[in-house]
Amino acid sequence: MDMNKMPEGMDHSKMHKGNDQHKGMSEHDHHAMMIADFKKRFYVVLALTIPIMLLSTMIQHFMGVNWTFTGSSYILFALSSVVFVYGGWPFLTGLVDEVKSKNPGMMFLIGFAITVAYCYSVAIVFGLKGMDFFWELATLILIMLLGHWIEMKSVMGASNELELLVQLMPSDAHMVMPDMVHDVKTDTLKENDIILIKPGEKVAADGIILEGESYLNESMLTGESKPVLKAKGDKVIAGSINGNGSFKVTVSHAAKDSYLSQVVKLVDDAQKSKSQTQLLADTAAKWLTVIALVTGIGTFLYWYLTGQTLAFAMERMVTVIVICCPHALGLAVPLVVAKSTALSAKHGLLIKNRTAFENARKITTIVFDKTGTLTVGKFEVSKVVSLNKEFKEDELIRLSSALEQKSEHPIATGILQKVKDLKLTIPQAENFKAITGQGVEATVEGKTLLVVSPGYLNENKLAVPDGFTANDTETVVFILIDQKLAGYIALSDELRPESAEAIKTLREENIKSILLTGDNSKVAASVSKTLGMDSFIAEVLPHQKLEKIKELQSKGEFVAMTGDGVNDAPALAQADIGIAVGSGSDIAAETAGIVLVNSNPKDIVSLILFGKATYRKMIQNLIWATGYNVIALPLAAGVLYNQGIVLSPAAGAVLMTVSTVVVAINASLLKVKA
């Protein structure tokens, strides 16, 4: 069994025959079938173990009875053979697979231990002097089957979180045809199809509302607990649950490209990806396998060569090997990984890079991009000032909207909203050009028009107009028409209600918060002071953001950067941990290790606290999984034999199973602090 495949439970797929026909089934069904198989084997072995124990000489001695009769040893042999072959089958096939892949581990050790015990006992039945091992063999297999059954249920619990995300997608959709509504399979939907969403149903595809409105519950996808009102023109995400209204949606893309499919893929990839902690656990498990074999054989030789019976030496070897099975160790990290990744996704934290997530515990400084993270990100025009009699305020808004209609920037959205409110017609723009970090330029109605930031005026030595005032929370853009300053538009963006609380929690965790923005110093200072942040860096162009991050790192800070992933991409890549914020299908913010679906600063705090909790769980599990071996292994080898303390193979199996179950339960207790 390859320990590296552990998040899906162990690689039990090869552990019994007849699995090839199930290749088409989901992992969930496959797991359920495996659990049922272990359960059945457990009960059959349990029924056979009772007569095996009653027929065993040692148990009879212990009970003070003598039930031996002619041929009783052969009946014992026959029953034990069934237990060995039927009950031990998963472990024996596992042993063969591990030998083939030259990767001995858990299954190799169990398979080896039960084979040694069985072969030796058979030799006793057919004439070798000594005590047979049949009852130890039966109880050992029984406990191993029980341990695997319980542990697979835990593993399945962790994988279930991902399965729940998959199940969010409805299988059918109501497709709107010209003459009727026709039910089709969700995975057949294409871009620009129109579907109808009825009250209480799940949205079948990502898209834009064509007509109608309703409140949608997106909590399973974004972690946003309040239902959100969606009306014509709004984006909807597949898997969200509709309230009481009904509406039609124009499908944006096929099901496989939907937000939910991308989340499921991300979660799946992250569960399979390795972090430093996982690699550490894998190495430890490999070493434990080597230690088990060397110590087991060494123990056997020591007792046998110092005059103990062959039976006693064999028993010590089998117990050592069983105790040493690196099972708990193999599960210690993957179970926490599977649980944490899926839980995060349900709370709107999408982990793309496991190491980045585990390193969240080391963060000393968080650099926040202001717009849309600490603020709501909805700019509203607070005033329009004309500096040229030729152009009235409404005309300035109308002309500048031509440049902004192609932009996704919050400032553009604010200007376009104002145009809508004033019921103005947006003119056409030609020769459109973006000036990185400073604004946009185009030709509108034959005039060269620029909508730019104050930084552009400074850089191009243009004077700021007399009487120009902007309060501390306003962002201003200037309008140049044919290279002459025609006026300016001031927009303001309100702070998110959760921001102050998030900054306060970071301070309690001894994490510095720094505001990094292209906005003017006055706005930055006001926001920083209001929220109680440690400092701010203002009027920074996108390429300078990268330099600022490097500067902080050179001072020994472990820096996390949050940004919208577009103009912040270089800085996100440079930061020790890049956190992309922004909902919807911007999920592929390639440079970030973590994507926050909601642009909520509280989610960043949750992420850090959850990263710490996850790391703690992994370390707890690793300590438990290795610690019990340190104590149990010498006892199994018989170090305290002269003091009358010795572990039987069955007791070894119980200890091994208990350690695995403790690790599984500990992983399942992981929670996200909302």
Side-chain angles (χ1 to χ4, degrees):
M1 178 194 69
D2 183 358
M3 288 285 174
N4 301 341
K5 295 178 180 166
M6 295 294 292
E8 287 76 49
M10 297 120 13
D11 189 16
H12 287 286
S13 52
K14 302 168 189 158
M15 279 172 35
H16 50 86
K17 285 182 175 173
N19 276 347
D20 291 346
Q21 70 209 43
H22 302 293
K23 275 182 183 156
M25 66 167 63
S26 79
E27 190 157 336
H28 185 274
D29 295 340
H30 178 63
H31 258 86
M33 209 184 78
M34 304 291 291
I35 289 170
D37 181 71
F38 272 100
K39 186 177 172 183
K40 189 172 78 179
R41 287 178 197 270
F42 170 76
Y43 282 121
V44 170
V45 171
L46 179 63
L48 294 171
T49 300
I50 297 164
I52 288 172
M53 290 187 77
L54 294 175
L55 286 171
S56 289
T57 327
M58 195 167 165
I59 300 292
Q60 290 179 26
H61 277 270
F62 183 65
M63 291 167 65
V65 295
N66 182 9
W67 291 332
T68 47
F69 52 88
T70 314
S72 62
S73 60
Y74 295 110
I75 294 172
L76 191 56
F77 160 65
L79 293 173
S80 301
S81 298
V82 175
V83 167
F84 175 67
V85 175
Y86 179 72
W89 186 254
F91 311 112
L92 297 170
T93 50
L95 177 145
V96 172
D97 289 332
E98 289 185 354
V99 168
K100 274 185 191 162
S101 65
K102 296 190 178 66
N103 189 17
M106 168 72 198
M107 290 296 157
F108 178 84
L109 292 180
I110 299 175
F112 181 70
I114 62 176
T115 306
V116 167
Y118 177 73
C119 294
Y120 174 74
S121 303
V122 171
I124 298 288
V125 172
F126 292 104
L128 190 71
K129 286 274 177 281
M131 289 274 259
D132 67 63
F133 251 30
F134 287 132
W135 77 268
E136 283 104 329
L137 172 74
T139 50
L140 177 58
I141 290 175
L142 185 72
I143 292 160
M144 286 297 178
L145 287 171
L146 178 66
H148 274 63
W149 172 23
I150 294 171
E151 171 225 313
M152 284 200 74
K153 285 182 84 161
S154 303
V155 172
M156 191 169 169
S159 302
N160 270 354
E161 307 274 353
L162 179 58
E163 204 66 32
L164 287 172
L165 285 174
V166 177
Q167 287 166 10
L168 280 178
M169 186 69 94
S171 53
D172 295 320
H174 313 301
M175 190 160 160
V176 179
M177 308 285 204
D179 50 348
M180 62 181 281
V181 175
H182 181 58
D183 281 2
V184 296
K185 289 278 171 224
T186 305
D187 50 18
T188 62
L189 292 174
K190 307 184 298 297
E191 192 179 347
N192 296 329
D193 282 349
I194 294 168
I195 54 172
L196 174 68
I197 313 295
K198 296 177 183 174
E201 288 186 338
K202 285 178 182 170
V203 176
D206 291 357
I208 310 283
I209 295 185
L210 184 66
E211 62 178 70
E213 64 174 51
S214 184
Y215 277 92
L216 290 186
N217 180 348
E218 299 180 335
S219 60
M220 268 297 277
L221 299 155
T222 65
E224 173 54 68
S225 52
K226 296 190 291 285
V228 188
L229 178 64
K230 301 278 185 176
K232 185 176 175 177
D234 287 338
K235 281 183 186 172
V236 291
I237 306 175
S240 44
I241 301 162
N242 185 18
N244 297 329
S246 72
F247 54 92
K248 287 180 184 170
V249 172
T250 307
V251 176
S252 306
H253 39 232
K256 69 173 180 0
D257 299 321
S258 75
Y259 168 77
L260 186 59
S261 302
Q262 291 190 52
V263 172
V264 169
K265 184 180 182 309
L266 255 182
V267 173
D268 200 31
D269 289 350
Q271 284 188 358
K272 290 190 175 107
S273 76
K274 295 278 172 156
S275 66
Q276 289 342 100
T277 328
Q278 172 69 67
L279 295 170
L280 173 75
D282 286 349
T283 311
K286 291 267 184 299
W287 273 106
L288 204 53
T289 304
V290 174
I291 291 167
L293 287 171
V294 172
T295 315
I297 293 164
T299 301
F300 171 79
L301 292 171
Y302 172 79
W303 287 115
Y304 188 59
L305 297 173
T306 53
Q308 285 289 348
T309 62
L310 183 61
F312 181 85
M314 291 286 244
E315 186 185 72
R316 292 303 92 226
M317 177 170 79
V318 168
T319 311
V320 165
I321 285 174
V322 169
I323 285 260
C324 248
C325 283
H327 210 196
L329 197 56
L331 277 177
V333 174
L335 268 179
V336 180
V337 167
K339 181 86 179 168
S340 66
T341 313
L343 265 182
S344 302
K346 282 167 74 174
H347 287 79
L349 316 171
L350 301 176
I351 299 164
K352 293 175 64 185
N353 178 322
R354 289 288 326 168
T355 303
F357 173 58
E358 282 173 33
N359 283 344
R361 71 185 194 285
K362 298 182 192 169
I363 294 171
T364 58
T365 299
I366 295 194
V367 175
F368 286 94
D369 178 45
K370 176 178 73 81
T371 309
T373 310
L374 296 171
T375 61
V376 175
K378 276 194 176 160
F379 277 86
E380 289 178 354
V381 173
S382 47
K383 66 177 169 215
V384 183
V385 177
S386 169
L387 302 168
N388 186 325
K389 292 191 182 79
E390 250 183 88
F391 303 104
K392 292 269 185 298
E393 281 83 356
D394 286 8
E395 182 66 358
L396 288 176
I397 281 281
R398 186 182 76 84
L399 290 170
S400 57
S401 70
L403 275 72
E404 301 294 5
Q405 63 186 334
K406 287 193 170 71
S407 173
E408 290 281 316
H409 196 280
I411 289 176
T413 318
I415 291 173
L416 292 172
Q417 187 57 49
K418 188 70 175 171
V419 167
K420 240 186 226 174
D421 297 346
L422 295 169
K423 299 190 168 53
L424 299 172
T425 313
I426 300 174
Q428 285 297 311
E430 292 161 359
N431 309 323
F432 182 86
K433 193 167 85 196
I435 309 161
T436 308
Q438 294 186 331
V440 282
E441 179 182 353
T443 309
V444 181
E445 296 175 348
K447 302 177 186 72
T448 303
L449 202 74
L450 278 88
V451 178
V452 292
S453 67
Y456 179 88
L457 296 190
N458 297 340
E459 211 164 283
N460 289 279
K461 312 270 188 299
L462 292 167
V464 173
D466 295 336
F468 165 69
T469 56
N471 73 32
D472 289 354
T473 56
E474 283 179 331
T475 297
V476 176
V477 288
F478 290 94
I479 297 144
L480 278 75
I481 299 174
D482 292 331
Q483 302 306 318
K484 286 189 186 136
L485 200 53
Y488 60 89
I489 300 170
L491 301 99
S492 57
D493 178 13
E494 63 177 299
L495 290 171
R496 277 178 177 272
E498 311 93 349
S499 295
E501 197 187 326
I503 300 297
K504 182 169 167 269
T505 313
L506 288 175
R507 176 156 281 172
E508 285 163 9
E509 292 284 321
N510 293 322
I511 295 168
K512 294 198 264 302
S513 52
I514 296 176
L515 179 64
L516 185 66
T517 178
D519 226 330
N520 69 60
S521 297
K522 276 186 172 174
V523 175
S526 168
V527 169
S528 176
K529 189 174 171 212
T530 309
L531 295 176
M533 297 177 80
D534 290 279
S535 61
F536 66 89
I537 305 166
E539 294 174 32
V540 185
L541 292 173
H543 67 274
Q544 293 170 322
K545 286 186 178 180
L546 173 78
E547 297 308 317
K548 298 294 178 192
I549 299 284
K550 275 187 180 168
E551 233 169 83
L552 287 166
Q553 287 170 326
S554 68
K555 291 175 189 163
E557 299 288 343
F558 195 88
V559 182
M561 159 88 187
T562 69
D564 57 16
V566 185
N567 62 356
D568 299 320
L572 284 173
Q574 176 60 37
D576 296 295
I577 298 175
I579 303 170
V581 290
S583 52
S585 300
D586 311 335
I587 201 164
E590 284 303 324
T591 46
I594 295 155
V595 180
L596 297 186
V597 178
N598 288 322
S599 308
N600 186 340
K602 273 179 83 177
D603 287 350
I604 295 166
V605 176
S606 294
L607 174 81
I608 293 168
L609 297 178
F610 189 49
K612 285 184 176 181
T614 300
Y615 187 75
R616 269 199 308 276
K617 277 272 176 271
M618 287 179 176
I619 297 303
Q620 281 165 13
N621 275 359
L622 285 176
I623 289 169
W624 174 262
T626 47
Y628 105 97
N629 275 308
V630 172
I631 295 162
L633 198 134
L635 292 179
V639 169
L640 297 179
Y641 172 65
N642 294 331
Q643 284 74 39
I645 299 171
V646 75
L647 285 179
S648 71
V654 167
L655 276 175
M656 196 219 108
T657 300
V658 166
S659 89
T660 307
V661 171
V662 167
V663 161
I665 292 168
N666 191 32
S668 69
L669 295 175
L670 189 65
K671 298 251 183 324
V672 175
K673 286 181 187 167

